[in-house]
Amino acid sequence: MYKDRIEKILENVEKPVRYLGNEWNSVHKDLDKIEVRFVFAFPDVYEIGMSHLGIKILYHLLNEKDDIFAERVFAPWVDMERELRESGIPLFSLETREPLKNFDFIGFTLQYELSYTNVLNMLDLAQIPLLSAERDENHPFIIGGGPCAFNPEPLADFFDFFVIGEGEEVILEILDLYKTWKKGKGDRRQFLRQAAGIRGIYVPHLYEVLYNEDGTVRQVKPVSSDIPWKIEKRIIEDLDKVYYPKKLIVPFMNIIHDRAMLEIFRGCTRGCRFCQAGMIYRPVRERSVEVLKRLGNELVDNTGYEEVSLASLSTSDYPYLEELTQALLDDFRKRGVSLSLPSLRIDSFSLKLAQQVQEVRKSGLTFAPEAGTQRLRDVINKGVTERDLLESAADAFKLGWHNIKLYFMIGLPTETYDDLDGIIEIAFKLIDLYKDISRADRRKLRLTVSVSSFVPKPFTPFQWEPQFTIDELKKRQEYLKKGLKHRAVSFSWHESELSFLEAVFARGDRRLSKVVYKAWLKGCKFDSWSEHFKFFHWMEAFKDCGIRPEFYAYRIRGYDEVFPWDHIYPGISKEFLIREHKKALKGNLTPDCRIGHCTGCGVNKLQGGKYCAD
């Protein structure tokens, strides 16, 4: 009867395929043999969540265990939410259509700050108390993980605990602890206290936050001596030995990244000073060509995908990329399977590599110079030159590419209008270059210039920097819009109000939980979707809570300030970040430690120091 009602409401939504859950390679089990039920939750729609590799890895990893059943749930779109609320049906998992409140764990992936209200909306739709303090033994444990968990404080009131770092090992340790706790019939607080003893687990209610009179954080301290002062992130030592799925779920609808993804390595030591991922995912660890070749073929065999994408933070930094590419193309060519190489850096883009990939299928190329002038690229430690870009683009044009995307960031520390002029000049130099090389096809060029606004993030050398005001960012966007007028150029930018909120919550503290809650009550959700973004309601929420968002986004912070995330330990030392910040202001570069000397970032001390690449 309950499932009949679900079938009925699916007839009334625009894309019912989002909620079917019986895709190719989805897992279904006999519930009589299951001891722990876990549901992975992504606080955005199916098309975005199903493009996330981390969920796919952990979903299949847990389902390898006979006594664990992992399922999925994504934020229901507004039409589905309306149907759920009107019919009184609680939010349910895809595989069994079980209400989420009946699970043992709900694990949210926190990829971006503007999904926070969706977390609350999903808990409310699941008929689960939003505040962790209001849950009891009848409710599932609510877990958060992903990059936003490195500053979990704005969500501290809602989550039972957070997982800091990579999840393949720690998630099994959590579930083993849970099985023991469940047999002992202990209370909820007892389990959370025991979980806090697992490395990489942060239980917010076991920490007290003290504030100074000026509103800054004075101290974050554990409530008792048996709780660790620092929560050290988890990392996987050997990627060749860690689990990687041979099968991936194949959706019945188009998703953002609808292809098989092959993770070639983790971490990055390039040291771009704005990039949080490049800091928190250190050290670099690589899979071998032999293992990747086997995995790539198994994924094609088991999914039928006609495209395999090599996943990493910077694909061209994989030291065996040419060998790997050739090996995979040899296998894929006869099967009509193409290979895509995202995240290429312009300084290491090779003509030979481009030719290899072009053999199967040619798509657009994306280059990310990030800043318009060499001065600013040195400030951010990008380590590439305009010459690198022009030479790579020339190679691409000679090979027949017509579609180039340039990615820049505006509002970077020390940026002036001269740096914006540099963006415009690069675009027009590429247009002239294309004209010189492709005289017969000069009208085919499609040059997309995409500009985002700088958001200072925790655990980066720019974590002390203020964000430019919304008005100033808009002025700079207008300036570029006028300067880039050309029929071959398409210019796109991010809304400044979205970047502002992202900056507030990226470096926010525990007091912001009240703002997230108040904004959700006012109807905020799907904040990263422009058609649903309600900036006015957000500002009302801040006002109602007596909190000035400018305090978090626009304030210059001193080196002696205690940050809300200082009790999280990602391996990178604060001393290293301060050194990098000072070097940035002088425009001095720091070389990649994989090709130079150790830069003393501190990650070689992580987990006993056995994981650092040096």
Side-chain angles (χ1 to χ4, degrees), residues 17 20-24 26 46 249-255 258:
V17 69
L20 294 182
N22 56 353
E23 310 97 313
W24 183 252
S26 61
Y46 178 93
I249 294 175
V250 182
F252 291 143
M253 66 183 299
N254 290 330
I255 60 174
D258 199 5

Side-chain angles (χ1 to χ4, degrees), residues 20 27 95 137 150 253 257 270 368 405 407 466 511 593:
L20 294 182
V27 179
E95 280 77 1
E137 283 68 22
F150 281 82
M253 66 183 299
H257 300 297
R270 287 281 181 173
K405 185 174 183 179
Y407 180 79
R511 292 169 294 192
C593 64

Side-chain angles (χ1 to χ4, degrees), residues 257-450:
H257 300 297
D258 199 5
R259 58 187 75 99
M261 285 187 278
L262 187 59
E263 186 190 41
I264 57 176
F265 72 100
R266 294 180 186 176
C268 177
T269 50
R270 287 281 181 173
C272 297
R273 290 169 177 141
F274 59 85
C275 180
Q276 187 190 46
M279 299 293 167
I280 64 175
Y281 293 143
R282 295 185 183 198
V284 170
R285 290 142 294 148
E286 298 148 356
R287 282 195 169 87
S288 66
V289 172
E290 181 183 356
V291 168
L292 289 169
K293 188 170 180 290
R294 174 176 56 78
L295 287 172
N297 280 286
E298 287 174 342
L299 287 173
V300 172
D301 290 341
N302 294 318
T303 64
Y305 269 121
E306 296 178 346
E307 182 179 358
V308 174
S309 174
L310 303 185
S312 69
L313 289 175
S314 180
T315 304
S316 47
D317 285 339
Y318 181 65
Y320 318 109
L321 185 59
E322 187 174 346
E323 178 187 352
L324 174 65
T325 303
Q326 189 57 57
L328 291 176
L329 285 174
D330 287 345
D331 290 344
F332 292 168
R333 190 177 293 114
K334 50 183 175 279
R335 305 174 71 177
V337 176
S338 67
L339 190 64
S340 62
L341 307 174
S343 306
L344 286 173
R345 288 180 63 93
I346 57 177
D347 59 341
S348 52
F349 180 82
S350 74
L351 177 62
K352 187 174 181 181
L353 186 61
Q355 285 176 317
Q356 287 176 325
V357 177
Q358 186 187 348
E359 284 179 6
V360 178
R361 194 172 67 181
K362 188 184 300 177
S363 56
L365 290 176
T366 299
F367 297 123
E370 309 287 359
T373 62
Q374 195 58 50
R375 183 200 68 80
L376 193 52
R377 285 193 290 273
D378 290 347
V379 167
I380 64 176
N381 203 45
K382 188 63 182 175
V384 298
T385 66
E386 184 176 295
R387 183 178 175 182
D388 294 328
L389 171 64
L390 295 179
E391 289 182 351
S392 298
D395 289 340
F397 293 151
K398 289 172 185 172
L399 287 166
W401 265 280
H402 309 287
N403 190 356
I404 301 288
K405 185 174 183 179
L406 295 175
Y407 180 79
F408 294 95
M409 197 175 289
I410 63 168
L412 286 161
T414 77
E415 182 188 82
T416 68
Y417 278 77
D418 288 341
D419 300 304
L420 302 184
D421 287 334
I423 293 175
I424 297 167
E425 288 169 11
I426 287 176
F428 280 91
K429 282 181 181 177
L430 286 184
I431 292 170
D432 292 340
L433 185 65
Y434 183 82
K435 287 178 181 175
D436 292 341
I437 294 173
S438 307
R439 293 183 181 280
D441 299 319
R442 60 175 56 184
R443 297 181 67 86
K444 285 186 178 180
L445 176 64
R446 292 291 177 268
L447 183 63
T448 301
V449 179
S450 180

